[in-house]
Amino acid sequence: AAIVFQPLATADFGQIVTDMEEVLRGTGEDTGTQVERTDDSFGYRWMVLSDEDFEDLVVGVNVISQALEDGGYGERILCAVFAFRDPQNQHVYWIYNYKRGAYYPFVPAGGEQRRDSERELRLKAQIGHELPVEPELERWFPLWGIPI
């Protein structure tokens, strides 16, 4: 899983990010969660969490988002991304848009930035009753180059 946010070059923001990384690394020794930071070409920071236990990933993403929100930087959060693989070993992502308070599926179709929109709609139909799914399809933004 990952949480994506736009970093800010201030001491306060930098300290919040450093503190939350330390907390996640500290708790990761007990839970097995690993944390990695990477920046993309659009200027967004990806805090990538790796763990065999899905609940630990959800908790980790919540720790990061809560730290940013508590610090007054909630508007800098773009989204959270949860990565899965289907039985055919294809990537399937569920993206949580913090500003909209809803999830949407994203299924890259391989090749040059193509997506499997039909599969995304099937996933919405299958999972939509269990998650708050973004009702406006035009807000299902693709994220290319996801580092997880």
Side-chain angles (χ1 to χ4, degrees), residues 37-69:
R37 177 194 329 189
T38 185
D39 293 338
D40 67 20
S41 61
F42 298 103
Y44 284 92
R45 175 151 304 146
W46 291 72
M47 297 295 291
V48 178
L49 308 175
S50 303
D51 196 310
E52 293 294 320
D53 186 339
F54 185 74
E55 289 181 23
D56 289 345
L57 294 174
V58 172
V59 169
V61 166
N62 282 331
V63 164
I64 297 168
S65 67
Q66 195 61 54
L68 291 171
E69 289 174 11

PDB file of all heavy atoms in Angstrom, residues 37-69:
ATOM      1  N   ARG A  37      10.337   5.498   1.086  1.00  0.00           N
ATOM      2  CA  ARG A  37       9.908   6.798   0.563  1.00  0.00           C
ATOM      3  C   ARG A  37      10.449   6.967  -0.850  1.00  0.00           C
ATOM      4  O   ARG A  37      11.607   6.676  -1.111  1.00  0.00           O
ATOM      5  CB  ARG A  37      10.451   7.897   1.460  1.00  0.00           C
ATOM      6  CG  ARG A  37      10.133   9.275   0.981  1.00  0.00           C
ATOM      7  CD  ARG A  37      10.901  10.392   1.611  1.00  0.00           C
ATOM      8  NE  ARG A  37      11.325  10.228   2.981  1.00  0.00           N
ATOM      9  CZ  ARG A  37      11.852  11.204   3.690  1.00  0.00           C
ATOM     10  NH1 ARG A  37      12.009  12.395   3.171  1.00  0.00           N
ATOM     11  NH2 ARG A  37      12.236  11.009   4.928  1.00  0.00           N
ATOM     12  N   THR A  38       9.597   7.435  -1.764  1.00  0.00           N
ATOM     13  CA  THR A  38      10.044   7.723  -3.119  1.00  0.00           C
ATOM     14  C   THR A  38       9.265   8.917  -3.653  1.00  0.00           C
ATOM     15  O   THR A  38       8.102   9.113  -3.294  1.00  0.00           O
ATOM     16  CB  THR A  38       9.880   6.484  -4.038  1.00  0.00           C
ATOM     17  OG1 THR A  38      10.426   6.783  -5.313  1.00  0.00           O
ATOM     18  CG2 THR A  38       8.433   6.075  -4.191  1.00  0.00           C
ATOM     19  N   ASP A  39       9.926   9.724  -4.467  1.00  0.00           N
ATOM     20  CA  ASP A  39       9.274  10.875  -5.087  1.00  0.00           C
ATOM     21  C   ASP A  39       9.087  10.581  -6.570  1.00  0.00           C
ATOM     22  O   ASP A  39       9.947   9.962  -7.206  1.00  0.00           O
ATOM     23  CB  ASP A  39      10.119  12.140  -4.914  1.00  0.00           C
ATOM     24  CG  ASP A  39      10.216  12.581  -3.457  1.00  0.00           C
ATOM     25  OD1 ASP A  39       9.345  12.197  -2.659  1.00  0.00           O
ATOM     26  OD2 ASP A  39      11.167  13.306  -3.126  1.00  0.00           O
ATOM     27  N   ASP A  40       7.950  11.031  -7.124  1.00  0.00           N
ATOM     28  CA  ASP A  40       7.699  10.790  -8.539  1.00  0.00           C
ATOM     29  C   ASP A  40       8.015  12.027  -9.373  1.00  0.00           C
ATOM     30  O   ASP A  40       8.381  13.081  -8.846  1.00  0.00           O
ATOM     31  CB  ASP A  40       6.278  10.270  -8.773  1.00  0.00           C
ATOM     32  CG  ASP A  40       5.193  11.286  -8.472  1.00  0.00           C
ATOM     33  OD1 ASP A  40       5.463  12.503  -8.433  1.00  0.00           O
ATOM     34  OD2 ASP A  40       4.030  10.857  -8.282  1.00  0.00           O
ATOM     35  N   SER A  41       7.866  11.902 -10.669  1.00  0.00           N
ATOM     36  CA  SER A  41       8.219  12.995 -11.587  1.00  0.00           C
ATOM     37  C   SER A  41       7.241  14.171 -11.523  1.00  0.00           C
ATOM     38  O   SER A  41       7.509  15.227 -12.083  1.00  0.00           O
ATOM     39  CB  SER A  41       8.300  12.466 -13.018  1.00  0.00           C
ATOM     40  OG  SER A  41       7.046  11.934 -13.420  1.00  0.00           O
ATOM     41  N   PHE A  42       6.105  13.991 -10.834  1.00  0.00           N
ATOM     42  CA  PHE A  42       5.126  15.069 -10.694  1.00  0.00           C
ATOM     43  C   PHE A  42       5.299  15.841  -9.395  1.00  0.00           C
ATOM     44  O   PHE A  42       4.509  16.732  -9.083  1.00  0.00           O
ATOM     45  CB  PHE A  42       3.695  14.505 -10.767  1.00  0.00           C
ATOM     46  CG  PHE A  42       3.388  13.846 -12.072  1.00  0.00           C
ATOM     47  CD1 PHE A  42       3.364  12.469 -12.173  1.00  0.00           C
ATOM     48  CD2 PHE A  42       3.148  14.596 -13.216  1.00  0.00           C
ATOM     49  CE1 PHE A  42       3.089  11.844 -13.372  1.00  0.00           C
ATOM     50  CE2 PHE A  42       2.869  13.982 -14.424  1.00  0.00           C
ATOM     51  CZ  PHE A  42       2.852  12.609 -14.506  1.00  0.00           C
ATOM     52  N   GLY A  43       6.312  15.479  -8.601  1.00  0.00           N
ATOM     53  CA  GLY A  43       6.579  16.179  -7.351  1.00  0.00           C
ATOM     54  C   GLY A  43       5.815  15.630  -6.161  1.00  0.00           C
ATOM     55  O   GLY A  43       5.761  16.269  -5.117  1.00  0.00           O
ATOM     56  N   TYR A  44       5.230  14.448  -6.303  1.00  0.00           N
ATOM     57  CA  TYR A  44       4.515  13.828  -5.187  1.00  0.00           C
ATOM     58  C   TYR A  44       5.421  12.833  -4.475  1.00  0.00           C
ATOM     59  O   TYR A  44       6.280  12.198  -5.095  1.00  0.00           O
ATOM     60  CB  TYR A  44       3.245  13.121  -5.674  1.00  0.00           C
ATOM     61  CG  TYR A  44       2.138  14.084  -6.002  1.00  0.00           C
ATOM     62  CD1 TYR A  44       1.985  14.581  -7.286  1.00  0.00           C
ATOM     63  CD2 TYR A  44       1.257  14.518  -5.014  1.00  0.00           C
ATOM     64  CE1 TYR A  44       0.982  15.481  -7.586  1.00  0.00           C
ATOM     65  CE2 TYR A  44       0.246  15.414  -5.311  1.00  0.00           C
ATOM     66  CZ  TYR A  44       0.114  15.894  -6.596  1.00  0.00           C
ATOM     67  OH  TYR A  44      -0.875  16.790  -6.879  1.00  0.00           O
ATOM     68  N   ARG A  45       5.225  12.704  -3.193  1.00  0.00           N
ATOM     69  CA  ARG A  45       5.963  11.732  -2.394  1.00  0.00           C
ATOM     70  C   ARG A  45       5.068  10.531  -2.148  1.00  0.00           C
ATOM     71  O   ARG A  45       3.905  10.659  -1.794  1.00  0.00           O
ATOM     72  CB  ARG A  45       6.382  12.338  -1.068  1.00  0.00           C
ATOM     73  CG  ARG A  45       7.054  11.316  -0.163  1.00  0.00           C
ATOM     74  CD  ARG A  45       8.050  11.917   0.774  1.00  0.00           C
ATOM     75  NE  ARG A  45       9.050  12.672   0.030  1.00  0.00           N
ATOM     76  CZ  ARG A  45       9.628  13.782   0.505  1.00  0.00           C
ATOM     77  NH1 ARG A  45       9.316  14.246   1.684  1.00  0.00           N
ATOM     78  NH2 ARG A  45      10.525  14.420  -0.215  1.00  0.00           N
ATOM     79  N   TRP A  46       5.651   9.363  -2.320  1.00  0.00           N
ATOM     80  CA  TRP A  46       4.975   8.093  -2.071  1.00  0.00           C
ATOM     81  C   TRP A  46       5.606   7.475  -0.837  1.00  0.00           C
ATOM     82  O   TRP A  46       6.803   7.214  -0.824  1.00  0.00           O
ATOM     83  CB  TRP A  46       5.168   7.147  -3.250  1.00  0.00           C
ATOM     84  CG  TRP A  46       4.455   7.554  -4.498  1.00  0.00           C
ATOM     85  CD1 TRP A  46       4.769   8.593  -5.321  1.00  0.00           C
ATOM     86  CD2 TRP A  46       3.326   6.918  -5.068  1.00  0.00           C
ATOM     87  NE1 TRP A  46       3.894   8.637  -6.372  1.00  0.00           N
ATOM     88  CE2 TRP A  46       3.003   7.620  -6.241  1.00  0.00           C
ATOM     89  CE3 TRP A  46       2.566   5.811  -4.706  1.00  0.00           C
ATOM     90  CZ2 TRP A  46       1.934   7.253  -7.056  1.00  0.00           C
ATOM     91  CZ3 TRP A  46       1.509   5.449  -5.523  1.00  0.00           C
ATOM     92  CH2 TRP A  46       1.198   6.166  -6.677  1.00  0.00           C
ATOM     93  N   MET A  47       4.813   7.270   0.189  1.00  0.00           N
ATOM     94  CA  MET A  47       5.252   6.505   1.351  1.00  0.00           C
ATOM     95  C   MET A  47       4.706   5.103   1.120  1.00  0.00           C
ATOM     96  O   MET A  47       3.495   4.875   1.229  1.00  0.00           O
ATOM     97  CB  MET A  47       4.710   7.097   2.647  1.00  0.00           C
ATOM     98  CG  MET A  47       5.206   8.506   2.937  1.00  0.00           C
ATOM     99  SD  MET A  47       6.971   8.620   3.231  1.00  0.00           S
ATOM    100  CE  MET A  47       7.085   7.779   4.778  1.00  0.00           C
ATOM    101  N   VAL A  48       5.594   4.201   0.752  1.00  0.00           N
ATOM    102  CA  VAL A  48       5.213   2.839   0.375  1.00  0.00           C
ATOM    103  C   VAL A  48       5.386   1.920   1.576  1.00  0.00           C
ATOM    104  O   VAL A  48       6.459   1.881   2.185  1.00  0.00           O
ATOM    105  CB  VAL A  48       6.061   2.341  -0.811  1.00  0.00           C
ATOM    106  CG1 VAL A  48       5.694   0.909  -1.174  1.00  0.00           C
ATOM    107  CG2 VAL A  48       5.895   3.268  -2.009  1.00  0.00           C
ATOM    108  N   LEU A  49       4.340   1.212   1.915  1.00  0.00           N
ATOM    109  CA  LEU A  49       4.346   0.280   3.040  1.00  0.00           C
ATOM    110  C   LEU A  49       4.248  -1.139   2.511  1.00  0.00           C
ATOM    111  O   LEU A  49       3.421  -1.425   1.643  1.00  0.00           O
ATOM    112  CB  LEU A  49       3.162   0.561   3.969  1.00  0.00           C
ATOM    113  CG  LEU A  49       3.010   2.006   4.443  1.00  0.00           C
ATOM    114  CD1 LEU A  49       1.732   2.160   5.247  1.00  0.00           C
ATOM    115  CD2 LEU A  49       4.203   2.431   5.245  1.00  0.00           C
ATOM    116  N   SER A  50       5.083  -2.012   3.046  1.00  0.00           N
ATOM    117  CA  SER A  50       5.060  -3.430   2.665  1.00  0.00           C
ATOM    118  C   SER A  50       4.824  -4.267   3.908  1.00  0.00           C
ATOM    119  O   SER A  50       5.482  -4.053   4.937  1.00  0.00           O
ATOM    120  CB  SER A  50       6.393  -3.843   2.040  1.00  0.00           C
ATOM    121  OG  SER A  50       6.674  -3.041   0.927  1.00  0.00           O
ATOM    122  N   ASP A  51       3.883  -5.184   3.816  1.00  0.00           N
ATOM    123  CA  ASP A  51       3.564  -6.062   4.939  1.00  0.00           C
ATOM    124  C   ASP A  51       2.679  -7.184   4.416  1.00  0.00           C
ATOM    125  O   ASP A  51       1.864  -6.962   3.523  1.00  0.00           O
ATOM    126  CB  ASP A  51       2.829  -5.277   6.038  1.00  0.00           C
ATOM    127  CG  ASP A  51       2.810  -5.997   7.372  1.00  0.00           C
ATOM    128  OD1 ASP A  51       2.440  -7.189   7.408  1.00  0.00           O
ATOM    129  OD2 ASP A  51       3.152  -5.369   8.379  1.00  0.00           O
ATOM    130  N   GLU A  52       2.823  -8.361   4.968  1.00  0.00           N
ATOM    131  CA  GLU A  52       1.972  -9.493   4.584  1.00  0.00           C
ATOM    132  C   GLU A  52       0.553  -9.336   5.137  1.00  0.00           C
ATOM    133  O   GLU A  52      -0.396  -9.880   4.589  1.00  0.00           O
ATOM    134  CB  GLU A  52       2.578 -10.805   5.085  1.00  0.00           C
ATOM    135  CG  GLU A  52       3.884 -11.164   4.412  1.00  0.00           C
ATOM    136  CD  GLU A  52       3.730 -11.474   2.929  1.00  0.00           C
ATOM    137  OE1 GLU A  52       2.734 -12.131   2.564  1.00  0.00           O
ATOM    138  OE2 GLU A  52       4.588 -11.031   2.155  1.00  0.00           O
ATOM    139  N   ASP A  53       0.407  -8.598   6.227  1.00  0.00           N
ATOM    140  CA  ASP A  53      -0.882  -8.428   6.895  1.00  0.00           C
ATOM    141  C   ASP A  53      -1.555  -7.147   6.386  1.00  0.00           C
ATOM    142  O   ASP A  53      -1.080  -6.040   6.621  1.00  0.00           O
ATOM    143  CB  ASP A  53      -0.666  -8.353   8.411  1.00  0.00           C
ATOM    144  CG  ASP A  53      -1.958  -8.328   9.199  1.00  0.00           C
ATOM    145  OD1 ASP A  53      -3.014  -7.982   8.633  1.00  0.00           O
ATOM    146  OD2 ASP A  53      -1.911  -8.645  10.395  1.00  0.00           O
ATOM    147  N   PHE A  54      -2.691  -7.312   5.687  1.00  0.00           N
ATOM    148  CA  PHE A  54      -3.396  -6.167   5.110  1.00  0.00           C
ATOM    149  C   PHE A  54      -3.802  -5.159   6.176  1.00  0.00           C
ATOM    150  O   PHE A  54      -3.727  -3.952   5.957  1.00  0.00           O
ATOM    151  CB  PHE A  54      -4.626  -6.655   4.321  1.00  0.00           C
ATOM    152  CG  PHE A  54      -5.337  -5.552   3.611  1.00  0.00           C
ATOM    153  CD1 PHE A  54      -4.800  -4.982   2.473  1.00  0.00           C
ATOM    154  CD2 PHE A  54      -6.542  -5.074   4.085  1.00  0.00           C
ATOM    155  CE1 PHE A  54      -5.447  -3.945   1.814  1.00  0.00           C
ATOM    156  CE2 PHE A  54      -7.212  -4.044   3.436  1.00  0.00           C
ATOM    157  CZ  PHE A  54      -6.654  -3.477   2.293  1.00  0.00           C
ATOM    158  N   GLU A  55      -4.222  -5.622   7.331  1.00  0.00           N
ATOM    159  CA  GLU A  55      -4.637  -4.706   8.403  1.00  0.00           C
ATOM    160  C   GLU A  55      -3.486  -3.808   8.842  1.00  0.00           C
ATOM    161  O   GLU A  55      -3.696  -2.631   9.154  1.00  0.00           O
ATOM    162  CB  GLU A  55      -5.194  -5.487   9.583  1.00  0.00           C
ATOM    163  CG  GLU A  55      -6.541  -6.110   9.290  1.00  0.00           C
ATOM    164  CD  GLU A  55      -7.113  -6.861  10.486  1.00  0.00           C
ATOM    165  OE1 GLU A  55      -6.740  -6.568  11.633  1.00  0.00           O
ATOM    166  OE2 GLU A  55      -7.939  -7.751  10.244  1.00  0.00           O
ATOM    167  N   ASP A  56      -2.264  -4.340   8.880  1.00  0.00           N
ATOM    168  CA  ASP A  56      -1.103  -3.515   9.224  1.00  0.00           C
ATOM    169  C   ASP A  56      -0.888  -2.414   8.194  1.00  0.00           C
ATOM    170  O   ASP A  56      -0.502  -1.295   8.534  1.00  0.00           O
ATOM    171  CB  ASP A  56       0.165  -4.370   9.329  1.00  0.00           C
ATOM    172  CG  ASP A  56       0.173  -5.275  10.546  1.00  0.00           C
ATOM    173  OD1 ASP A  56      -0.650  -5.062  11.467  1.00  0.00           O
ATOM    174  OD2 ASP A  56       1.009  -6.213  10.575  1.00  0.00           O
ATOM    175  N   LEU A  57      -1.161  -2.713   6.932  1.00  0.00           N
ATOM    176  CA  LEU A  57      -1.040  -1.701   5.883  1.00  0.00           C
ATOM    177  C   LEU A  57      -2.063  -0.584   6.067  1.00  0.00           C
ATOM    178  O   LEU A  57      -1.742   0.594   5.946  1.00  0.00           O
ATOM    179  CB  LEU A  57      -1.213  -2.342   4.496  1.00  0.00           C
ATOM    180  CG  LEU A  57      -0.134  -3.332   4.079  1.00  0.00           C
ATOM    181  CD1 LEU A  57      -0.519  -3.993   2.759  1.00  0.00           C
ATOM    182  CD2 LEU A  57       1.215  -2.662   3.978  1.00  0.00           C
ATOM    183  N   VAL A  58      -3.288  -0.974   6.373  1.00  0.00           N
ATOM    184  CA  VAL A  58      -4.346   0.019   6.597  1.00  0.00           C
ATOM    185  C   VAL A  58      -3.990   0.907   7.787  1.00  0.00           C
ATOM    186  O   VAL A  58      -4.115   2.137   7.713  1.00  0.00           O
ATOM    187  CB  VAL A  58      -5.713  -0.668   6.800  1.00  0.00           C
ATOM    188  CG1 VAL A  58      -6.773   0.331   7.220  1.00  0.00           C
ATOM    189  CG2 VAL A  58      -6.135  -1.397   5.527  1.00  0.00           C
ATOM    190  N   VAL A  59      -3.515   0.293   8.862  1.00  0.00           N
ATOM    191  CA  VAL A  59      -3.121   1.070  10.044  1.00  0.00           C
ATOM    192  C   VAL A  59      -1.987   2.030   9.694  1.00  0.00           C
ATOM    193  O   VAL A  59      -2.006   3.199  10.065  1.00  0.00           O
ATOM    194  CB  VAL A  59      -2.722   0.135  11.219  1.00  0.00           C
ATOM    195  CG1 VAL A  59      -2.057   0.914  12.338  1.00  0.00           C
ATOM    196  CG2 VAL A  59      -3.947  -0.605  11.737  1.00  0.00           C
ATOM    197  N   GLY A  60      -0.990   1.548   8.955  1.00  0.00           N
ATOM    198  CA  GLY A  60       0.135   2.397   8.568  1.00  0.00           C
ATOM    199  C   GLY A  60      -0.285   3.588   7.730  1.00  0.00           C
ATOM    200  O   GLY A  60       0.158   4.717   7.954  1.00  0.00           O
ATOM    201  N   VAL A  61      -1.150   3.353   6.750  1.00  0.00           N
ATOM    202  CA  VAL A  61      -1.658   4.443   5.916  1.00  0.00           C
ATOM    203  C   VAL A  61      -2.415   5.444   6.780  1.00  0.00           C
ATOM    204  O   VAL A  61      -2.270   6.665   6.626  1.00  0.00           O
ATOM    205  CB  VAL A  61      -2.539   3.895   4.773  1.00  0.00           C
ATOM    206  CG1 VAL A  61      -3.348   4.999   4.112  1.00  0.00           C
ATOM    207  CG2 VAL A  61      -1.679   3.176   3.741  1.00  0.00           C
ATOM    208  N   ASN A  62      -3.208   4.945   7.726  1.00  0.00           N
ATOM    209  CA  ASN A  62      -3.948   5.843   8.620  1.00  0.00           C
ATOM    210  C   ASN A  62      -3.025   6.650   9.513  1.00  0.00           C
ATOM    211  O   ASN A  62      -3.300   7.827   9.791  1.00  0.00           O
ATOM    212  CB  ASN A  62      -4.956   5.060   9.458  1.00  0.00           C
ATOM    213  CG  ASN A  62      -6.189   4.694   8.674  1.00  0.00           C
ATOM    214  OD1 ASN A  62      -6.577   5.389   7.745  1.00  0.00           O
ATOM    215  ND2 ASN A  62      -6.796   3.583   9.021  1.00  0.00           N
ATOM    216  N   VAL A  63      -1.930   6.060   9.976  1.00  0.00           N
ATOM    217  CA  VAL A  63      -0.964   6.792  10.806  1.00  0.00           C
ATOM    218  C   VAL A  63      -0.404   7.978  10.027  1.00  0.00           C
ATOM    219  O   VAL A  63      -0.322   9.096  10.538  1.00  0.00           O
ATOM    220  CB  VAL A  63       0.183   5.857  11.272  1.00  0.00           C
ATOM    221  CG1 VAL A  63       1.376   6.641  11.799  1.00  0.00           C
ATOM    222  CG2 VAL A  63      -0.320   4.881  12.327  1.00  0.00           C
ATOM    223  N   ILE A  64      -0.034   7.734   8.781  1.00  0.00           N
ATOM    224  CA  ILE A  64       0.532   8.809   7.956  1.00  0.00           C
ATOM    225  C   ILE A  64      -0.496   9.897   7.686  1.00  0.00           C
ATOM    226  O   ILE A  64      -0.228  11.081   7.876  1.00  0.00           O
ATOM    227  CB  ILE A  64       1.084   8.239   6.640  1.00  0.00           C
ATOM    228  CG1 ILE A  64       2.230   7.272   6.922  1.00  0.00           C
ATOM    229  CG2 ILE A  64       1.547   9.365   5.718  1.00  0.00           C
ATOM    230  CD1 ILE A  64       2.654   6.440   5.730  1.00  0.00           C
ATOM    231  N   SER A  65      -1.686   9.500   7.258  1.00  0.00           N
ATOM    232  CA  SER A  65      -2.707  10.506   6.934  1.00  0.00           C
ATOM    233  C   SER A  65      -3.101  11.302   8.170  1.00  0.00           C
ATOM    234  O   SER A  65      -3.276  12.523   8.097  1.00  0.00           O
ATOM    235  CB  SER A  65      -3.928   9.866   6.284  1.00  0.00           C
ATOM    236  OG  SER A  65      -4.622   9.034   7.178  1.00  0.00           O
ATOM    237  N   GLN A  66      -3.214  10.641   9.306  1.00  0.00           N
ATOM    238  CA  GLN A  66      -3.590  11.336  10.536  1.00  0.00           C
ATOM    239  C   GLN A  66      -2.507  12.319  10.964  1.00  0.00           C
ATOM    240  O   GLN A  66      -2.808  13.430  11.404  1.00  0.00           O
ATOM    241  CB  GLN A  66      -3.864  10.334  11.657  1.00  0.00           C
ATOM    242  CG  GLN A  66      -4.588  10.934  12.838  1.00  0.00           C
ATOM    243  CD  GLN A  66      -5.953  11.485  12.465  1.00  0.00           C
ATOM    244  OE1 GLN A  66      -6.777  10.787  11.899  1.00  0.00           O
ATOM    245  NE2 GLN A  66      -6.200  12.746  12.759  1.00  0.00           N
ATOM    246  N   ALA A  67      -1.240  11.932  10.829  1.00  0.00           N
ATOM    247  CA  ALA A  67      -0.138  12.838  11.184  1.00  0.00           C
ATOM    248  C   ALA A  67      -0.160  14.091  10.303  1.00  0.00           C
ATOM    249  O   ALA A  67       0.023  15.210  10.790  1.00  0.00           O
ATOM    250  CB  ALA A  67       1.200  12.126  11.067  1.00  0.00           C
ATOM    251  N   LEU A  68      -0.407  13.909   9.005  1.00  0.00           N
ATOM    252  CA  LEU A  68      -0.476  15.061   8.103  1.00  0.00           C
ATOM    253  C   LEU A  68      -1.684  15.941   8.420  1.00  0.00           C
ATOM    254  O   LEU A  68      -1.589  17.165   8.434  1.00  0.00           O
ATOM    255  CB  LEU A  68      -0.505  14.599   6.648  1.00  0.00           C
ATOM    256  CG  LEU A  68       0.796  13.968   6.145  1.00  0.00           C
ATOM    257  CD1 LEU A  68       0.588  13.337   4.774  1.00  0.00           C
ATOM    258  CD2 LEU A  68       1.915  14.993   6.101  1.00  0.00           C
ATOM    259  N   GLU A  69      -2.826  15.302   8.675  1.00  0.00           N
ATOM    260  CA  GLU A  69      -4.025  16.072   9.008  1.00  0.00           C
ATOM    261  C   GLU A  69      -3.868  16.806  10.328  1.00  0.00           C
ATOM    262  O   GLU A  69      -4.223  17.990  10.433  1.00  0.00           O
ATOM    263  CB  GLU A  69      -5.244  15.155   9.031  1.00  0.00           C
ATOM    264  CG  GLU A  69      -5.648  14.693   7.640  1.00  0.00           C
ATOM    265  CD  GLU A  69      -6.771  13.676   7.632  1.00  0.00           C
ATOM    266  OE1 GLU A  69      -7.406  13.448   8.682  1.00  0.00           O
ATOM    267  OE2 GLU A  69      -7.014  13.098   6.551  1.00  0.00           O
TER     268      GLU A  69
END
